[in-house]
Amino acid sequence: MHTFEFIRPANPTAAIATAAQSKTAQQGADVRFVAGGTTLLDLMKLNVETPALVLDINRLPFDKIESTPDGGLKIGATVRNSDLAHHPRVQRDYAVLSQAILNGASAQLRNMATTAGNLLQRTRCMYFRDTAMPCNKREPGTGCPAIAGSNRTLAILGTSEHCIATNPSDMCVAMAALEATIHLQGPKGSRAVPIADFHLLPRSTPNRETVLEPGDLITHVTLPPPIAGSKQVYLKLRDRASYEFALTSAAVVITLAGGKVTRARIALGGVGTKPWRSREAEAALVDKPADATNFRKAAEAAMRDAKPQSENKFKIELAKRCLTHALKMATAA
Ligand SMILES: Cc1cc2nc3c(=O)[nH]c(=O)nc-3n(C[C@H](O)[C@H](O)[C@H](O)COP(=O)(O)OP(=O)(O)OC[C@H]3O[C@@H](n4cnc5c(N)ncnc54)[C@H](O)[C@@H]3O)c2cc1C
Ligand code: SF4
């Protein structure tokens, strides 16, 4: 691993001012925050990330989970994934989030991983993690070997000719279905970004993954008040039962009245270049009877724009079955 300086800023203002000196907050950043370290240190050992300065934010005051005045939830940036998944309010009101987190990684990793770190975890595309290979995300303009190469686990939605990498997070998929808001503090003040706008499509700049600018520190995430009577399920399909990323997953938050769907929020994992909210599936469900025919129609709608690569066409049918089954589970509960 390359040499780097490691410091613990005394407060958020100092952390932001120091990080603002970085030339970018995206790939190639020379200053990085570190929280749990389970993504960053991994990539530093592989020389994919080579920051000259690492700022430890674990002592900053962002480790609380609190109810908001409107009945929603405020989740601090450094709250550990395991604490979030086991929090009584999350289990009661935002069960899809608890299920998604507990479906990810391992107990040890979840004990270290944080809310903000999970939002910013990087793709598992093998070419991205191997500095001997070209990769547009790691080194813009070098090409995307995955398109003609190993792409079984990569994305079928939101891809571009420059990058087809999957966003690997489970937590973010649940947060997309719950319509979370990401709160940032930066050199120019604070701002709130809906999760749907936080991650960027790869387009011609796959090295740019989020809206973050140098110095931007995620302070917390908020969830809106829970939807009364909503049924929630996170279903993850993968090559083995644990310690594995999703081939496809579905987060469902659905409300029924008289056998009909009155509200649906659907997000998919393992198939998109970002956590994939499917408004197409939602539109196909609302005001329709909650039955197998309409669930399949919603799944077809979700995959209408899917563009498979040489090795991952199977994901289209898998994702359809995953969403159909998640809807059945949620509405049967
Ligand atoms: C073997 C393995 C298996 C895994 N399996 C899964 C899985 O199945 N599902 C899944 O979803 N995830 C999985 N993960 C990923 C894991 O969830 C992430 O590594 C973890 O959530 C990252 O959180 P962290 O706190 O450790 O991040 P860090 O490594 O500390 O940071 C990650 C990035 O976020 C930035 N950052 C951190 N905090 C802030 C902040 N407050 N503001 C701005 N930037 C910040 C850092 O600078 C860094 O760029 C796996 C990881 C490993 C190693
Ligand atoms: S899919 Fe994206 S991350 Fe993977 S090699 Fe291509 S450009 Fe790099």
Side-chain angles (χ1 to χ4, degrees):
M1 203 188 326
H2 72 292
T3 55
F4 61 94
E5 195 183 348
F6 182 88
I7 59 175
R8 288 203 172 94
N11 52 55
T13 310
I16 291 164
T18 310
Q21 294 162 20
S22 185
K23 62 180 180 301
T24 175
Q26 306 292 327
Q27 178 60 28
D30 38 359
V31 184
R32 279 282 185 218
F33 301 120
V34 68
T38 62
T39 286
L40 185 67
L41 297 184
D42 221 14
L43 294 176
M44 286 173 69
K45 284 188 246 173
L46 295 169
N47 284 321
V48 172
E49 286 272 9
T50 54
L53 179 58
V54 174
L55 305 174
D56 179 357
I57 59 167
N58 284 293
R59 291 187 190 170
L60 301 186
F62 301 132
D63 60 349
K64 301 266 185 313
I65 303 175
E66 297 160 297
S67 294
T68 57
D70 67 355
L73 202 66
K74 176 179 175 185
I75 305 160
T78 58
V79 168
R80 305 290 152 180
N81 284 181
S82 44
D83 292 336
L84 183 56
H86 293 294
H87 191 274
R89 270 217 64 200
V90 176
Q91 291 187 326
R92 190 190 69 196
D93 295 334
Y94 307 100
V96 68
L97 179 58
S98 177
Q99 293 168 28
I101 292 172
L102 294 176
N103 266 284
S106 63
Q108 292 90 339
L109 282 158
R110 295 192 297 266
N111 286 342
M112 290 303 295
T114 62
T115 311
N118 198 322
L119 283 165
L120 294 169
Q121 66 171 288
R122 314 294 301 280
T123 183
R124 311 303 289 194
C125 173
M126 59 185 268
Y127 303 103
F128 172 72
R129 294 169 63 84
D130 181 352
T131 55
M133 299 300 294
C135 166
N136 283 331
K137 189 183 276 300
R138 184 168 29 75
E139 280 183 68
T142 55
C144 174
I147 289 173
S150 179
N151 52 47
R152 178 176 176 273
T153 61
L154 299 187
I156 54 175
L157 288 166
T159 57
S160 75
E161 60 183 304
H162 303 280
C163 181
I164 57 169
T166 320
N167 181 296
S169 173
D170 292 299
M171 183 196 82
C172 292
V173 180
M175 285 192 174
L178 291 168
E179 301 181 305
T181 301
I182 319 302
H183 297 262
L184 310 171
Q185 247 176 53
K188 295 179 195 153
S190 49
R191 63 195 202 277
V193 183
I195 190 163
D197 300 332
F198 181 75
H199 299 96
L200 304 176
L201 291 172
R203 303 187 199 278
S204 61
T205 52
N207 54 308
R208 201 173 162 72
E209 296 181 343
T210 65
V211 296
L212 291 185
E213 298 292 343
D216 279 346
L217 176 68
I218 297 174
T219 54
H220 60 282
V221 172
T222 50
L223 301 179
I227 305 299
S230 70
K231 295 163 184 292
Q232 306 184 12
V233 162
Y234 186 76
L235 179 62
K236 176 175 178 179
L237 304 183
R238 46 191 156 169
D239 280 331
R240 56 182 178 192
S242 77
Y243 208 46
E244 185 57 279
F245 293 89
L247 286 170
T248 181
S249 69
V252 170
V253 180
I254 194 164
T255 317
L256 307 177
K260 278 192 175 178
V261 177
T262 52
R263 182 184 185 277
R265 295 292 181 272
I266 306 290
L268 305 174
V271 287
T273 50
K274 58 185 264 185
W276 201 262
R277 170 96 178 259
S278 179
R279 292 178 195 273
E280 297 84 355
E282 294 169 7
L285 287 165
V286 172
D287 293 335
K288 307 273 170 30
D291 62 26
T293 306
N294 288 324
F295 295 164
R296 179 71 193 187
K297 280 186 187 164
E300 300 279 351
M303 287 294 122
R304 197 172 294 138
D305 295 330
K307 284 202 186 92
Q309 306 296 327
S310 56
E311 295 178 346
N312 65 8
K313 192 169 175 213
F314 75 98
K315 278 195 176 187
I316 296 180
E317 182 57 26
L318 195 66
K320 287 180 188 172
R321 291 185 190 192
C322 182
L323 176 54
T324 307
H325 197 66
L327 286 164
K328 275 187 199 159
M329 288 166 71
T331 53

